[in-house]
Structures are given as C-alpha cells and as structure tokens.
Amino acid sequence: MRSSVLGRLARAGAVLTTALALAVTAAPFTGAAQAHEAVSGTLSFSGEPGEFVSGGQSHEYTAGAVEMFDVTGPTSERAVGVTVVTPEGKRWSLHMEAPYGQKLIEGTTYTGASRWPYAQPEDPKLEFGETDRWCSTSTGSFTITHIAYGPHGYIREVDATFEQYCNGSTLPARGEVHARMPEPPAELVVGLDLDETGTIDTRTGQITVGGTVTCNKLAYITLNGHVVQTQKRGTPVGYYENKAVSCTPGAPVPWSVSFASAEPGTTFQPGTATLTGIGRADDRDYPVSVDTGFQNTEVTLLKS
C-alpha cells in the first residue's frame, strides 16, 4: 500500500510539473511571428528601366490608403516584414532578417543579403517583390535606421532602406519603409485562488473543490491539480486535469470540479485535505502563454 501511495503522489507531482513545464516552454514560442496593421507609414521603391521588380517605375504606398499595411516581427527580434495589399489587389512583401542567432540592430547596415533557400545561416536575408514580380534569386543589402519594440518582439516603429538585385541583374530596386504601429496591447496576467472549503458526498466519496481565476483581459485558463488527504488507513488522491475556465476581466470568475479518489481502496472523508493547482492561458495578443504559478491550500471537506 505504501509504495502505491507514493506512486500516486509522484503522479500528482508529475501532473503539475508537466503543466508548469508546458507553460514555461511555450512562453514565448521562439520565432513565432505577430502581424499588426500600421497606423501610419509608407513603402516606396523605384528602379531604372529594365529593373524587373519595380518595372522601371517609382511606387509609393501609404497606410490608410491601401487595403493592408501590416508589419510583422518574431519574438526573437531578428526580423521585420511588411505586407502591403493595394486597392487593385497586388500584394507587395518585404522581409529583412539578421543572420541566424542575431537581433536586428538599429543603425546597422546588413550587406551580402540573400533569400531562401540560398541564404546561409551566417547571411542576412532580404526578400522583396510582388506575386507577379518575384525573384528566384537575389542579392542586396538593407539598413535598419530605426527600430523600437514593445513586449515579445512587438514592433512599434521601424525605418529602413533596402537595395535588391533580382535574378542576377545589375539593376537594383531601391526602396524604404517607414511605419508606426498602435500602442502594444497589455500583456496577459492571470491569477488563481483556491477555496478553503469543499464538499463531499459520503455515499460516493466524490468531492467538489474549486476557487476563482482572475485576468486583466479575456482568456481561457486551463487548470490542473490534485487533492491529497492523509488518513490512518490510507491516503486518497484525486486529480483534476484540463479544466477550462473562460475568464473575463473585472471580477474573479468562480470554478469548481468534482472527482473521487484515484487511489484503489481509498475514499475521501469529511475533514481536512491539501488542494494544489496551477492555471495556464494563451495570450491572445502575443505568441506566449502565461501561468498562475503553483497554489496550495488546506481545504476542509464538508458533507454535502
């Protein structure tokens, strides 16, 4: 019996450890990109006659006067992308990325830039074009004259210039981008409180425990935990896993779960027990997950 109890307690710890590990490893999702519409900005470029991407003409697109002016950046702060969709439906894309393992640094010019799949890890990457004017190969350079970040790689401001030679041509397309983004959303904060009383159905041994969750913005919080009760003749252990709670800000949101002991030959009884739990939620505005941290409380189980 003792070895069985220890095994159950070990499983209980493993459940919560796994839940916390998921929260840690998922925050942040390294490299995951996030796109936001610019509140102001321009993408302009031009080329000499015969230059393929520009068509030998000058172009300028302004945020608010196009269908889309999105700025994208990963949590690693290693790249910036701009996507512009014109009123005519043309989709222009600009991607600038530092060499592998590096961040984009303000005031830096990146030379010898290539594009996937020819760029090596030590190379910066530059890709610019439109669906009907896209290069198979290219070389070039770009300068990040200014860049400012918010939480988790959120790009607040960017100013950059670029020069690209498409498909071995000696004629460059030269351009620049300037963009300002909305104020970054607040980062998600979640909390978990455990009730100090619960109920027990003495006929079935099933207990009901609960608490409240809090959040500063809309979130779906997943709860995991267990209850352990030390008795003279055994140690009942019960679990709750993947309990989903829809949390809205403004007031604590109550939740409860019901279960019986998972330890063979044991049944919860009225009295005190230990309730443990942790909550985790994805931030809707950023590619990260946050957790409440482990919570423990002594819970009194009362007859229902």
Side-chain angles (χ1 to χ4, degrees):
M1 173 66 75
R2 177 177 175 78
S3 61
S4 176
V5 170
L6 291 176
R8 293 290 179 178
L9 292 176
R11 179 179 182 275
V15 167
L16 293 186
T17 299
T18 299
L20 181 60
L22 287 172
V24 171
T25 56
F29 302 121
T30 302
Q34 48 192 325
H36 299 275
E37 183 83 12
V39 295
S40 65
T42 57
L43 171 66
S44 59
F45 58 95
S46 62
E48 299 176 16
E51 197 285 312
F52 174 67
V53 174
S54 67
Q57 299 180 8
S58 297
H59 305 259
E60 181 170 298
Y61 301 106
T62 303
V66 292
E67 295 298 316
M68 176 189 292
F69 199 118
D70 274 6
V71 176
T72 306
T75 58
S76 61
E77 300 181 4
R78 72 174 185 270
V80 60
V82 178
T83 301
V84 172
V85 177
T86 71
E88 299 76 27
K90 292 185 177 296
R91 187 183 187 90
W92 291 94
S93 298
L94 171 65
H95 178 81
M96 298 172 288
E97 184 174 338
Y100 181 78
Q102 299 181 27
K103 295 182 177 182
L104 289 177
I105 299 175
E106 182 173 293
T108 300
T109 296
Y110 297 86
T111 60
S114 185
R115 66 174 55 211
W116 184 92
Y118 304 102
Q120 301 300 306
E122 64 272 15
D123 297 332
K125 298 176 182 63
L126 172 65
E127 298 183 12
F128 175 65
E130 186 264 331
T131 304
D132 296 327
R133 293 183 177 273
W134 196 253
C135 309
S136 298
T137 64
S138 65
T139 58
S141 63
F142 61 90
T143 299
I144 304 297
T145 54
H146 171 67
I147 194 164
Y149 292 100
H152 308 296
Y154 180 98
I155 296 177
R156 301 183 65 171
E157 301 175 349
V158 62
D159 298 291
T161 60
F162 61 92
E163 180 177 279
Q164 177 183 264
Y165 297 83
C166 182
N167 298 331
S169 173
T170 59
L171 301 175
R174 295 188 175 97
E176 56 187 79
V177 62
H178 307 277
R180 300 296 180 266
M181 311 303 293
E183 282 298 308
E187 298 177 75
L188 177 63
V189 178
V190 294
L192 170 65
D193 285 316
L194 303 176
D195 290 341
E196 295 181 353
T197 58
T199 61
I200 179 170
D201 185 333
T202 55
R203 297 171 301 170
T204 63
Q206 188 172 71
I207 63 173
T208 298
V209 295
T212 59
V213 293
T214 56
C215 53
N216 64 333
K217 58 184 180 181
L218 183 65
Y220 289 95
I221 304 177
T222 301
L223 303 174
N224 293 275
H226 65 268
V227 173
V228 179
Q229 186 179 54
T230 302
Q231 301 173 357
K232 291 183 178 180
R233 297 185 177 181
T235 305
V237 183
Y239 310 93
Y240 59 98
E241 298 175 358
N242 300 320
K243 169 66 175 178
V245 182
S246 178
C247 183
T248 54
V253 178
W255 61 272
S256 63
V257 290
S258 299
F259 50 85
S261 174
E263 175 66 23
T266 66
T267 302
F268 287 110
Q269 300 294 331
T272 59
T274 300
L275 170 61
T276 302
I278 187 173
R280 182 176 69 90
D282 294 334
D283 192 323
R284 293 187 166 198
D285 296 308
Y286 302 107
V288 297
S289 295
V290 297
D291 71 85
T292 63
F294 285 118
Q295 305 296 319
N296 292 277
T297 191
E298 185 177 271
V299 57
T300 301
L301 301 176
L302 305 174
K303 289 183 181 181
S304 59

PDB file of all heavy atoms in Angstrom, residues 24-40:
ATOM      1  N   VAL A  24       6.057  27.058 -19.300  1.00  0.00           N
ATOM      2  CA  VAL A  24       7.375  27.666 -19.438  1.00  0.00           C
ATOM      3  C   VAL A  24       7.901  27.524 -20.855  1.00  0.00           C
ATOM      4  O   VAL A  24       8.386  28.463 -21.463  1.00  0.00           O
ATOM      5  CB  VAL A  24       8.356  27.055 -18.424  1.00  0.00           C
ATOM      6  CG1 VAL A  24       9.771  27.521 -18.703  1.00  0.00           C
ATOM      7  CG2 VAL A  24       7.949  27.416 -17.005  1.00  0.00           C
ATOM      8  N   THR A  25       7.810  26.306 -21.408  1.00  0.00           N
ATOM      9  CA  THR A  25       8.368  26.084 -22.731  1.00  0.00           C
ATOM     10  C   THR A  25       7.580  26.808 -23.795  1.00  0.00           C
ATOM     11  O   THR A  25       8.106  27.096 -24.866  1.00  0.00           O
ATOM     12  CB  THR A  25       8.398  24.586 -23.077  1.00  0.00           C
ATOM     13  OG1 THR A  25       7.070  24.050 -22.956  1.00  0.00           O
ATOM     14  CG2 THR A  25       9.308  23.836 -22.128  1.00  0.00           C
ATOM     15  N   ALA A  26       6.331  27.116 -23.518  1.00  0.00           N
ATOM     16  CA  ALA A  26       5.515  27.795 -24.528  1.00  0.00           C
ATOM     17  C   ALA A  26       5.582  29.304 -24.407  1.00  0.00           C
ATOM     18  O   ALA A  26       4.934  30.011 -25.148  1.00  0.00           O
ATOM     19  CB  ALA A  26       4.066  27.346 -24.415  1.00  0.00           C
ATOM     20  N   ALA A  27       6.384  29.808 -23.480  1.00  0.00           N
ATOM     21  CA  ALA A  27       6.402  31.245 -23.267  1.00  0.00           C
ATOM     22  C   ALA A  27       7.817  31.788 -23.298  1.00  0.00           C
ATOM     23  O   ALA A  27       8.533  31.723 -22.319  1.00  0.00           O
ATOM     24  CB  ALA A  27       5.758  31.571 -21.904  1.00  0.00           C
ATOM     25  N   PRO A  28       8.249  32.373 -24.397  1.00  0.00           N
ATOM     26  CA  PRO A  28       7.482  32.513 -25.621  1.00  0.00           C
ATOM     27  C   PRO A  28       7.746  31.382 -26.597  1.00  0.00           C
ATOM     28  O   PRO A  28       8.688  30.621 -26.428  1.00  0.00           O
ATOM     29  CB  PRO A  28       8.018  33.830 -26.186  1.00  0.00           C
ATOM     30  CG  PRO A  28       9.472  33.800 -25.789  1.00  0.00           C
ATOM     31  CD  PRO A  28       9.507  33.122 -24.429  1.00  0.00           C
ATOM     32  N   PHE A  29       6.911  31.289 -27.628  1.00  0.00           N
ATOM     33  CA  PHE A  29       7.157  30.382 -28.732  1.00  0.00           C
ATOM     34  C   PHE A  29       8.232  31.039 -29.590  1.00  0.00           C
ATOM     35  O   PHE A  29       7.966  31.919 -30.383  1.00  0.00           O
ATOM     36  CB  PHE A  29       5.892  30.176 -29.566  1.00  0.00           C
ATOM     37  CG  PHE A  29       4.739  29.643 -28.778  1.00  0.00           C
ATOM     38  CD1 PHE A  29       3.553  30.337 -28.681  1.00  0.00           C
ATOM     39  CD2 PHE A  29       4.848  28.426 -28.127  1.00  0.00           C
ATOM     40  CE1 PHE A  29       2.488  29.835 -27.959  1.00  0.00           C
ATOM     41  CE2 PHE A  29       3.778  27.920 -27.402  1.00  0.00           C
ATOM     42  CZ  PHE A  29       2.605  28.629 -27.322  1.00  0.00           C
ATOM     43  N   THR A  30       9.465  30.612 -29.427  1.00  0.00           N
ATOM     44  CA  THR A  30      10.575  31.297 -30.059  1.00  0.00           C
ATOM     45  C   THR A  30      10.389  31.372 -31.563  1.00  0.00           C
ATOM     46  O   THR A  30      10.209  30.367 -32.227  1.00  0.00           O
ATOM     47  CB  THR A  30      11.892  30.583 -29.730  1.00  0.00           C
ATOM     48  OG1 THR A  30      12.044  30.537 -28.317  1.00  0.00           O
ATOM     49  CG2 THR A  30      13.075  31.312 -30.339  1.00  0.00           C
ATOM     50  N   GLY A  31      10.457  32.601 -32.093  1.00  0.00           N
ATOM     51  CA  GLY A  31      10.381  32.802 -33.524  1.00  0.00           C
ATOM     52  C   GLY A  31       8.987  33.014 -34.051  1.00  0.00           C
ATOM     53  O   GLY A  31       8.818  33.420 -35.196  1.00  0.00           O
ATOM     54  N   ALA A  32       7.952  32.720 -33.252  1.00  0.00           N
ATOM     55  CA  ALA A  32       6.587  32.909 -33.749  1.00  0.00           C
ATOM     56  C   ALA A  32       6.365  34.369 -34.098  1.00  0.00           C
ATOM     57  O   ALA A  32       6.760  35.272 -33.375  1.00  0.00           O
ATOM     58  CB  ALA A  32       5.583  32.452 -32.704  1.00  0.00           C
ATOM     59  N   ALA A  33       5.718  34.613 -35.243  1.00  0.00           N
ATOM     60  CA  ALA A  33       5.548  35.972 -35.735  1.00  0.00           C
ATOM     61  C   ALA A  33       4.187  36.530 -35.358  1.00  0.00           C
ATOM     62  O   ALA A  33       3.228  35.796 -35.172  1.00  0.00           O
ATOM     63  CB  ALA A  33       5.734  36.013 -37.248  1.00  0.00           C
ATOM     64  N   GLN A  34       4.121  37.840 -35.261  1.00  0.00           N
ATOM     65  CA  GLN A  34       2.870  38.518 -34.978  1.00  0.00           C
ATOM     66  C   GLN A  34       2.749  39.710 -35.939  1.00  0.00           C
ATOM     67  O   GLN A  34       3.707  40.430 -36.170  1.00  0.00           O
ATOM     68  CB  GLN A  34       2.829  38.994 -33.527  1.00  0.00           C
ATOM     69  CG  GLN A  34       4.092  39.725 -33.084  1.00  0.00           C
ATOM     70  CD  GLN A  34       4.150  39.916 -31.589  1.00  0.00           C
ATOM     71  OE1 GLN A  34       3.136  40.120 -30.948  1.00  0.00           O
ATOM     72  NE2 GLN A  34       5.343  39.861 -31.030  1.00  0.00           N
ATOM     73  N   ALA A  35       1.576  39.872 -36.520  1.00  0.00           N
ATOM     74  CA  ALA A  35       1.348  40.929 -37.502  1.00  0.00           C
ATOM     75  C   ALA A  35       0.333  41.930 -36.970  1.00  0.00           C
ATOM     76  O   ALA A  35      -0.658  41.546 -36.351  1.00  0.00           O
ATOM     77  CB  ALA A  35       0.863  40.342 -38.819  1.00  0.00           C
ATOM     78  N   HIS A  36       0.582  43.209 -37.218  1.00  0.00           N
ATOM     79  CA  HIS A  36      -0.329  44.271 -36.794  1.00  0.00           C
ATOM     80  C   HIS A  36      -0.400  45.332 -37.882  1.00  0.00           C
ATOM     81  O   HIS A  36       0.583  45.599 -38.581  1.00  0.00           O
ATOM     82  CB  HIS A  36       0.130  44.889 -35.475  1.00  0.00           C
ATOM     83  CG  HIS A  36       0.174  43.908 -34.333  1.00  0.00           C
ATOM     84  ND1 HIS A  36      -0.934  43.608 -33.569  1.00  0.00           N
ATOM     85  CD2 HIS A  36       1.179  43.144 -33.849  1.00  0.00           C
ATOM     86  CE1 HIS A  36      -0.607  42.703 -32.657  1.00  0.00           C
ATOM     87  NE2 HIS A  36       0.664  42.411 -32.809  1.00  0.00           N
ATOM     88  N   GLU A  37      -1.564  45.950 -38.011  1.00  0.00           N
ATOM     89  CA  GLU A  37      -1.787  46.992 -39.006  1.00  0.00           C
ATOM     90  C   GLU A  37      -1.149  48.296 -38.556  1.00  0.00           C
ATOM     91  O   GLU A  37      -1.345  48.744 -37.418  1.00  0.00           O
ATOM     92  CB  GLU A  37      -3.291  47.197 -39.212  1.00  0.00           C
ATOM     93  CG  GLU A  37      -3.649  48.212 -40.269  1.00  0.00           C
ATOM     94  CD  GLU A  37      -3.630  47.623 -41.672  1.00  0.00           C
ATOM     95  OE1 GLU A  37      -3.572  46.386 -41.811  1.00  0.00           O
ATOM     96  OE2 GLU A  37      -3.685  48.416 -42.626  1.00  0.00           O
ATOM     97  N   ALA A  38      -0.374  48.914 -39.440  1.00  0.00           N
ATOM     98  CA  ALA A  38       0.275  50.185 -39.132  1.00  0.00           C
ATOM     99  C   ALA A  38      -0.760  51.308 -39.069  1.00  0.00           C
ATOM    100  O   ALA A  38      -1.708  51.342 -39.858  1.00  0.00           O
ATOM    101  CB  ALA A  38       1.338  50.506 -40.180  1.00  0.00           C
ATOM    102  N   VAL A  39      -0.582  52.236 -38.132  1.00  0.00           N
ATOM    103  CA  VAL A  39      -1.461  53.397 -38.069  1.00  0.00           C
ATOM    104  C   VAL A  39      -0.977  54.484 -39.022  1.00  0.00           C
ATOM    105  O   VAL A  39      -1.751  55.336 -39.459  1.00  0.00           O
ATOM    106  CB  VAL A  39      -1.554  53.951 -36.634  1.00  0.00           C
ATOM    107  CG1 VAL A  39      -2.227  52.940 -35.722  1.00  0.00           C
ATOM    108  CG2 VAL A  39      -0.175  54.312 -36.094  1.00  0.00           C
ATOM    109  N   SER A  40       0.313  54.469 -39.339  1.00  0.00           N
ATOM    110  CA  SER A  40       0.858  55.379 -40.337  1.00  0.00           C
ATOM    111  C   SER A  40       2.104  54.745 -40.930  1.00  0.00           C
ATOM    112  O   SER A  40       2.771  53.938 -40.277  1.00  0.00           O
ATOM    113  CB  SER A  40       1.196  56.750 -39.729  1.00  0.00           C
ATOM    114  OG  SER A  40       2.239  56.625 -38.777  1.00  0.00           O
TER     115      SER A  40
END
